[in-house]
Short mmCIF file of all heavy atoms in Angstrom, two decimals:
data_model
loop_
_atom_site.label_atom_id
_atom_site.label_comp_id
_atom_site.label_asym_id
_atom_site.label_seq_id
_atom_site.Cartn_x
_atom_site.Cartn_y
_atom_site.Cartn_z
N LEU A 129 -15.67 14.88 -21.81
CA LEU A 129 -15.24 13.67 -22.49
C LEU A 129 -14.02 13.93 -23.36
O LEU A 129 -13.02 13.19 -23.32
CB LEU A 129 -16.40 13.11 -23.34
CG LEU A 129 -16.05 11.97 -24.30
CD1 LEU A 129 -15.54 10.76 -23.55
CD2 LEU A 129 -17.27 11.59 -25.14
N SER A 132 -10.93 14.68 -21.23
CA SER A 132 -10.36 13.45 -20.65
C SER A 132 -9.58 12.67 -21.71
O SER A 132 -8.50 12.15 -21.43
CB SER A 132 -11.48 12.58 -20.07
OG SER A 132 -12.16 13.25 -19.03
N LEU A 133 -10.14 12.60 -22.90
CA LEU A 133 -9.47 11.90 -23.99
C LEU A 133 -8.15 12.56 -24.37
O LEU A 133 -7.17 11.89 -24.73
CB LEU A 133 -10.40 11.83 -25.20
CG LEU A 133 -9.93 11.03 -26.41
CD1 LEU A 133 -9.79 9.56 -26.04
CD2 LEU A 133 -10.91 11.17 -27.57
N LEU A 136 -5.32 11.32 -21.92
CA LEU A 136 -5.15 9.89 -21.65
C LEU A 136 -3.82 9.34 -22.17
O LEU A 136 -3.29 8.39 -21.61
CB LEU A 136 -6.30 9.09 -22.28
CG LEU A 136 -7.60 9.01 -21.46
CD1 LEU A 136 -8.65 8.27 -22.25
CD2 LEU A 136 -7.34 8.33 -20.13
N ALA A 209 -15.35 6.46 -14.89
CA ALA A 209 -15.53 5.47 -15.95
C ALA A 209 -14.75 5.86 -17.20
O ALA A 209 -14.16 5.01 -17.88
CB ALA A 209 -17.01 5.33 -16.29
N LEU A 210 -14.71 7.17 -17.53
CA LEU A 210 -13.93 7.62 -18.68
C LEU A 210 -12.45 7.34 -18.48
O LEU A 210 -11.75 6.95 -19.40
CB LEU A 210 -14.16 9.12 -18.90
CG LEU A 210 -15.59 9.57 -19.21
CD1 LEU A 210 -15.63 11.09 -19.36
CD2 LEU A 210 -16.10 8.90 -20.47
N THR A 211 -11.97 7.53 -17.24
CA THR A 211 -10.55 7.32 -16.97
C THR A 211 -10.19 5.84 -17.00
O THR A 211 -9.20 5.45 -17.63
CB THR A 211 -10.18 7.91 -15.60
OG1 THR A 211 -10.42 9.32 -15.62
CG2 THR A 211 -8.72 7.66 -15.27
N THR A 213 -11.85 3.22 -18.33
CA THR A 213 -11.97 2.60 -19.65
C THR A 213 -10.91 3.15 -20.60
O THR A 213 -10.38 2.42 -21.45
CB THR A 213 -13.38 2.85 -20.24
OG1 THR A 213 -13.64 4.25 -20.25
CG2 THR A 213 -14.43 2.13 -19.43
N GLY A 214 -10.61 4.43 -20.46
CA GLY A 214 -9.54 5.00 -21.30
C GLY A 214 -8.18 4.42 -21.01
O GLY A 214 -7.30 4.39 -21.88
N MET A 215 -7.99 3.94 -19.77
CA MET A 215 -6.72 3.32 -19.41
C MET A 215 -6.45 2.08 -20.26
O MET A 215 -5.30 1.77 -20.59
CB MET A 215 -6.73 2.95 -17.92
CG MET A 215 -5.50 2.22 -17.44
SD MET A 215 -5.55 1.91 -15.66
CE MET A 215 -7.08 0.97 -15.53
N ILE A 216 -7.50 1.37 -20.63
CA ILE A 216 -7.32 0.19 -21.49
C ILE A 216 -6.76 0.59 -22.83
O ILE A 216 -5.79 0.01 -23.34
CB ILE A 216 -8.66 -0.56 -21.65
CG1 ILE A 216 -9.25 -0.93 -20.29
CG2 ILE A 216 -8.49 -1.78 -22.52
CD1 ILE A 216 -10.65 -1.52 -20.37
N GLY A 217 -7.36 1.62 -23.44
CA GLY A 217 -6.85 2.10 -24.72
C GLY A 217 -5.46 2.67 -24.61
O GLY A 217 -4.63 2.50 -25.51
N ALA A 218 -5.16 3.36 -23.49
CA ALA A 218 -3.82 3.91 -23.30
C ALA A 218 -2.77 2.82 -23.19
O ALA A 218 -1.66 2.94 -23.71
CB ALA A 218 -3.81 4.79 -22.05
N LEU A 229 -4.59 8.86 -32.81
CA LEU A 229 -5.77 8.36 -33.50
C LEU A 229 -6.18 6.98 -32.98
O LEU A 229 -7.36 6.71 -32.77
CB LEU A 229 -5.51 8.31 -35.01
CG LEU A 229 -6.68 7.82 -35.87
CD1 LEU A 229 -7.89 8.74 -35.70
CD2 LEU A 229 -6.27 7.76 -37.34
N LEU A 230 -5.21 6.10 -32.76
CA LEU A 230 -5.54 4.75 -32.28
C LEU A 230 -6.20 4.83 -30.91
O LEU A 230 -7.19 4.13 -30.65
CB LEU A 230 -4.27 3.89 -32.21
CG LEU A 230 -4.47 2.49 -31.63
CD1 LEU A 230 -5.41 1.68 -32.48
CD2 LEU A 230 -3.12 1.77 -31.50
N LEU A 231 -5.70 5.67 -30.05
CA LEU A 231 -6.29 5.81 -28.72
C LEU A 231 -7.73 6.31 -28.82
O LEU A 231 -8.62 5.81 -28.12
CB LEU A 231 -5.45 6.78 -27.89
CG LEU A 231 -5.91 7.04 -26.45
CD1 LEU A 231 -5.92 5.75 -25.66
CD2 LEU A 231 -4.99 8.06 -25.78
N SER A 232 -7.97 7.27 -29.70
CA SER A 232 -9.34 7.78 -29.88
C SER A 232 -10.28 6.71 -30.41
O SER A 232 -11.41 6.58 -29.95
CB SER A 232 -9.32 8.99 -30.83
OG SER A 232 -8.47 10.00 -30.35
N VAL A 233 -9.81 5.94 -31.38
CA VAL A 233 -10.64 4.89 -31.97
C VAL A 233 -10.99 3.83 -30.93
O VAL A 233 -12.10 3.29 -30.91
CB VAL A 233 -9.91 4.26 -33.18
CG1 VAL A 233 -10.62 3.01 -33.65
CG2 VAL A 233 -9.82 5.26 -34.31
N LEU A 234 -10.05 3.52 -30.04
CA LEU A 234 -10.29 2.49 -29.04
C LEU A 234 -11.20 2.99 -27.92
O LEU A 234 -12.05 2.24 -27.42
CB LEU A 234 -8.96 2.03 -28.44
CG LEU A 234 -8.02 1.23 -29.36
CD1 LEU A 234 -6.68 0.99 -28.67
CD2 LEU A 234 -8.66 -0.10 -29.75
N VAL A 235 -11.01 4.22 -27.50
CA VAL A 235 -11.68 4.70 -26.29
C VAL A 235 -13.07 5.26 -26.57
O VAL A 235 -13.99 5.07 -25.76
CB VAL A 235 -10.79 5.75 -25.60
CG1 VAL A 235 -11.52 6.38 -24.41
CG2 VAL A 235 -9.49 5.12 -25.14
N LEU A 236 -13.25 5.95 -27.69
CA LEU A 236 -14.54 6.62 -27.93
C LEU A 236 -15.74 5.66 -27.92
O LEU A 236 -16.76 5.99 -27.30
CB LEU A 236 -14.49 7.39 -29.25
CG LEU A 236 -13.88 8.79 -29.19
CD1 LEU A 236 -13.83 9.42 -30.57
CD2 LEU A 236 -14.68 9.69 -28.24
N PRO A 237 -15.69 4.49 -28.56
CA PRO A 237 -16.85 3.60 -28.46
C PRO A 237 -17.16 3.16 -27.04
O PRO A 237 -18.33 2.99 -26.68
CB PRO A 237 -16.43 2.40 -29.34
CG PRO A 237 -15.41 2.94 -30.26
CD PRO A 237 -14.65 3.96 -29.48
N LEU A 238 -16.13 2.97 -26.22
CA LEU A 238 -16.35 2.58 -24.83
C LEU A 238 -16.92 3.71 -23.99
O LEU A 238 -17.53 3.48 -22.94
CB LEU A 238 -15.03 2.10 -24.21
CG LEU A 238 -14.36 0.90 -24.87
CD1 LEU A 238 -13.02 0.60 -24.20
CD2 LEU A 238 -15.27 -0.33 -24.80
N SER A 239 -16.71 4.96 -24.44
CA SER A 239 -17.16 6.12 -23.68
C SER A 239 -18.59 6.53 -24.02
O SER A 239 -19.19 7.33 -23.29
CB SER A 239 -16.23 7.31 -23.94
OG SER A 239 -14.90 6.99 -23.61
N ILE A 240 -19.15 6.01 -25.11
CA ILE A 240 -20.49 6.45 -25.54
C ILE A 240 -21.57 6.11 -24.50
O ILE A 240 -22.41 6.97 -24.20
CB ILE A 240 -20.82 5.83 -26.92
CG1 ILE A 240 -19.96 6.50 -28.00
CG2 ILE A 240 -22.30 6.01 -27.25
CD1 ILE A 240 -20.14 5.91 -29.38
N PRO A 241 -21.58 4.90 -23.90
CA PRO A 241 -22.61 4.67 -22.87
C PRO A 241 -22.51 5.62 -21.68
O PRO A 241 -23.53 6.06 -21.14
CB PRO A 241 -22.35 3.22 -22.44
CG PRO A 241 -21.65 2.59 -23.60
CD PRO A 241 -20.81 3.68 -24.18
#
Side-chain angles (χ1 to χ4, degrees):
L129 170 61
S132 299
L133 185 64
L136 277 176
L210 299 178
T211 298
T213 55
M215 177 177 58
I216 304 173
L229 181 60
L230 176 62
L231 181 60
S232 302
V233 170
L234 291 173
V235 174
L236 275 177
L238 300 176
S239 302
I240 289 176

